[in-house]
Amino acid sequence: MYPGSNTIDGSNNERLGSAERDVVALGIAVAALILFVGTGGTVLPQIVATWLGHAQNPDVILSNALLLNIALIIFGWRRYAQLSREVAERRSAEEKAHQLAQTDALTGLLNRRCFIPAAARLVIDVAETNQGAAVLMIDLDNFKQINDVHGHKAGDVALTEVARRIEALLPINGTVARLGGDEFACVVPYERRLPDKLDQLAASLIEAVRAPIQIENKEVEAALSVGIARTIENPDPATAEDCAQSLLHHADIAMYHAKKRGHNGYAWFEPTMESELRFRHELETGIRAGIPKGEFVPFYEQQIDLVTGDLVGFEMLARWNSPQFGLVSPEIFIPISEDIGVIAELSEHLIQQALLDAQKWDSNLTLSINISPLQLRDPWFSQKLLRLLVESGFPPHRLDIEITESCLHENIGVVRSVVTSLKNQGVQISLDDFGTGYSSLAQLRSLPFDRLKIDRSFVTELAHEGANAKIVEAIVSLGRGFDLPMTAEGIENAEVLKVLRTMGQLKGQGYLYGRPEDANKTFARLKEKRMLAPEVQEAADRADALAAENASSAEEDQRAMG
Ligand code: C2E
Ligand code: MG
Ligand code: MG
């Protein structure tokens, strides 16, 4: 029977069955026909004879029986025809419902529900020919971006085209399903001696999908990551579904690893990947739960004018104070927060705290904050930042946004409009980690940067004279050519500082001046240097004086008691 029918209407099968079984109607029609032949054979000659005037009126009972017969034939036949039509209509509706229940409405591929049974069937079938089965999990890397930038309609067209391209490359007996969103899975047979064929399949899928997709008059490029898992031995047919399920799970883990390595790649499942994934899930859960609990806190790194040696501002660097993992580096949690889509929320929370902290500092001190490339692609980013500035009352000209070169490669149009709007608000813009991201001179000129930050990988090497000193010199003269002030990151010792001082007017930061510190330690440092905002400094001095007074009176009390 058709499994899909139960999902539409549980009583359908029964009704359809009874309709099909309604041979009674046909039986009545056939019986009536036989009777008609019997009675008609007697009555009809009598009627004809009567008309010709050769005989008396025909037998009334027989004539009535004949008429009843005719009525029964008409009724039986019509009923039978009607039922047949009804059965045909229901059968087609049921087939449609069945098909709908099995397929994905957008792409026409199998859906998630049907993938495992299909994969299990293939696992059993190929085992008979001593072949193996493999699952390839496919996930688009940039689908959200396609949707955001070009709209949902374009996203649908892209998904349909990707489905078509995957389908075109499937080997005989292979099946592909859309598991949901931008996730597809294929199950394919393979020769156990030739697992390389699966590498080739993954590579050609990537190649085919990355070719530009024409949507109306635009071209969209989809990138994808593929994970591969295969059966090594023939599974027991009784456990074929479990086997298919674990193939899918393993392919998913491998796909996730491929994604981590970058766009348009594939990876084979390896058992160690599973524990890594578990750890990653723990981090993800921890990040999501930690944001509202205030576990993410700003630390501050001093920024110094290298000529005068004065403290001129701080760079805010995020830290995760996790009860489970301890103090976690942003290099771990920022990329994960980007992946799981919480970077904007996390950053907003940190900026809010940093602006409150920086309100207490001397009005000459600047605050630099790092912004993820993803945030810059949000056309509302500048409005959100403006709201935070207004709420805190922090002057925009003291805020410096650091963006990395990777921002310049994708969606330069949106980035430019966000940057321009930030500049219009008076916010300063710095290009962070300069020298690592291959930005072209044209890109540098096209955005209104206020400062370049020379990446620390060049700066830390400065002590050992050689190639890197030349690189820093080249970067500094490039910056001068663009008339842009510069900050050198990663100054770790006095030798490096000495070399940098010969290169003209620079700002700098690094462990030579101290490690990044939390808000309290930064406050204490500024209090010591008398670099807090005047009213905050006064209040701090008063609090200190009061504390000193209390301490001395407590001492006196103790002496008096002693
Ligand atoms: P970045 O903006 O280039 O920050 C400088 C990094 O270099 C910081 O690492 C800092 O602690 C480190 N550093 C500073 N001086 C020295 C030095 O003398 N020697 C060495 N070896 N390292 C030094 P951190 O705090 O681990 O931050 C790493 C990166 O994480 C940052 O690089 C920044 O790109 C990103 N990041 C930090 N906070 C945030 C944030 O709130 N939002 C976003 N989107 N990214 C952030
Ligand atoms: Mg930075
Ligand atoms: Mg940097």
Side-chain angles (χ1 to χ4, degrees), residues 315 317 370 402-404 431-434 436 453-456 489-490 509:
E315 174 174 2
L317 295 160
N370 294 282
E402 295 190 4
I403 65 180
T404 52
L431 184 57
D432 201 0
D433 303 344
F434 182 61
T436 56
K453 293 191 74 177
I454 309 166
D455 189 70
R456 72 167 187 264
E489 301 179 315
Q509 58 186 86

Side-chain angles (χ1 to χ4, degrees), residues 301 315-319 329-331 334 343 350 370-372 375 402 404 432-433 456 460 489-492 509-512 516:
E301 177 168 316
E315 174 174 2
M316 187 271 275
L317 295 160
R319 296 289 181 266
S329 152
E331 265 154 354
I334 295 284
I343 185 68
L350 285 160
N370 294 282
I371 292 301
S372 145
Q375 288 172 279
E402 295 190 4
T404 52
D432 201 0
D433 303 344
R456 72 167 187 264
T460 41
E489 301 179 315
I491 308 174
E492 289 185 350
Q509 58 186 86
Y511 294 168
L512 175 65

Side-chain angles (χ1 to χ4, degrees), residues 145-398:
Q145 201 186 327
I146 295 176
N147 251 344
D148 290 351
V149 176
H150 302 283
H152 288 262
K153 225 168 117 192
D156 284 355
V157 177
L159 282 177
T160 316
E161 179 58 20
V162 167
R164 197 191 58 72
R165 291 181 188 181
I166 297 174
E167 218 173 3
L169 283 169
L170 276 189
I172 299 167
N173 296 332
T175 304
V176 55
R178 179 179 172 220
L179 303 188
D182 56 357
E183 265 184 359
F184 299 86
C186 307
V187 58
V188 295
Y190 79 97
E191 283 293 336
R192 290 226 167 89
R193 297 172 294 119
L194 301 168
D196 297 4
K197 294 271 177 206
L198 294 172
D199 291 80
Q200 285 166 18
L201 177 60
S204 27
L205 284 170
I206 292 170
E207 214 42 49
V209 171
R210 76 192 299 185
I213 299 171
Q214 192 74 34
I215 300 175
E216 289 169 1
N217 46 10
K218 289 168 279 181
E219 273 193 351
V220 170
E221 277 176 35
L224 75 167
S225 299
V226 182
I228 314 172
R230 62 175 173 138
T231 55
I232 307 287
E233 287 164 5
N234 286 346
D236 176 354
T239 59
E241 287 232 345
D242 295 341
C243 172
Q245 196 85 51
S246 80
L247 278 179
L248 183 67
H249 178 56
H250 289 166
D252 191 28
I253 293 174
M255 183 278 296
Y256 170 72
H257 271 255
K259 206 178 259 300
K260 247 191 354 191
R261 287 194 215 140
H263 289 183
N264 283 325
Y266 69 89
W268 282 86
F269 171 75
E270 284 162 31
T272 51
M273 290 176 173
E274 219 158 3
S275 52
E276 277 178 46
L277 191 76
R278 214 168 302 122
F279 180 55
R280 158 88 184 202
H281 279 312
E282 282 175 18
L283 285 172
E284 286 181 5
T285 319
I287 291 173
R288 283 188 209 279
I291 299 174
K293 286 193 197 150
E295 290 173 11
F296 292 86
V297 290
F299 270 49
Y300 300 99
E301 177 168 316
Q302 300 175 67
Q303 294 178 317
I304 308 289
D305 180 328
L306 296 188
V307 178
T308 62
D310 291 340
L311 173 65
V312 288
F314 290 92
E315 174 174 2
M316 187 271 275
L317 295 160
R319 296 289 181 266
W320 178 17
N321 216 338
S322 158
Q324 191 181 355
F325 306 106
L327 203 63
V328 184
S329 152
E331 265 154 354
I332 293 177
F333 66 80
I334 295 284
I336 302 178
S337 309
E338 288 177 343
D339 285 353
I340 62 174
V342 298
I343 185 68
E345 186 190 347
L346 172 61
S347 177
E348 193 169 315
H349 176 80
L350 285 160
I351 297 172
Q352 214 164 17
Q353 291 182 69
L355 290 175
L356 283 180
D357 291 337
Q359 281 283 46
K360 300 180 193 141
W361 306 342
D362 184 279
S363 61
N364 289 317
L365 293 174
T366 56
L367 169 69
S368 298
I369 56 177
N370 294 282
I371 292 301
S372 145
L374 282 185
Q375 288 172 279
L376 270 199
R377 283 194 224 124
D378 171 6
W380 296 101
F381 176 70
S382 57
Q383 268 71 14
K384 289 178 187 165
L385 191 69
L386 180 64
R387 183 177 59 78
L388 295 178
L389 280 167
V390 169
E391 275 171 12
S392 68
F394 191 79
H397 71 269
R398 284 177 59 198

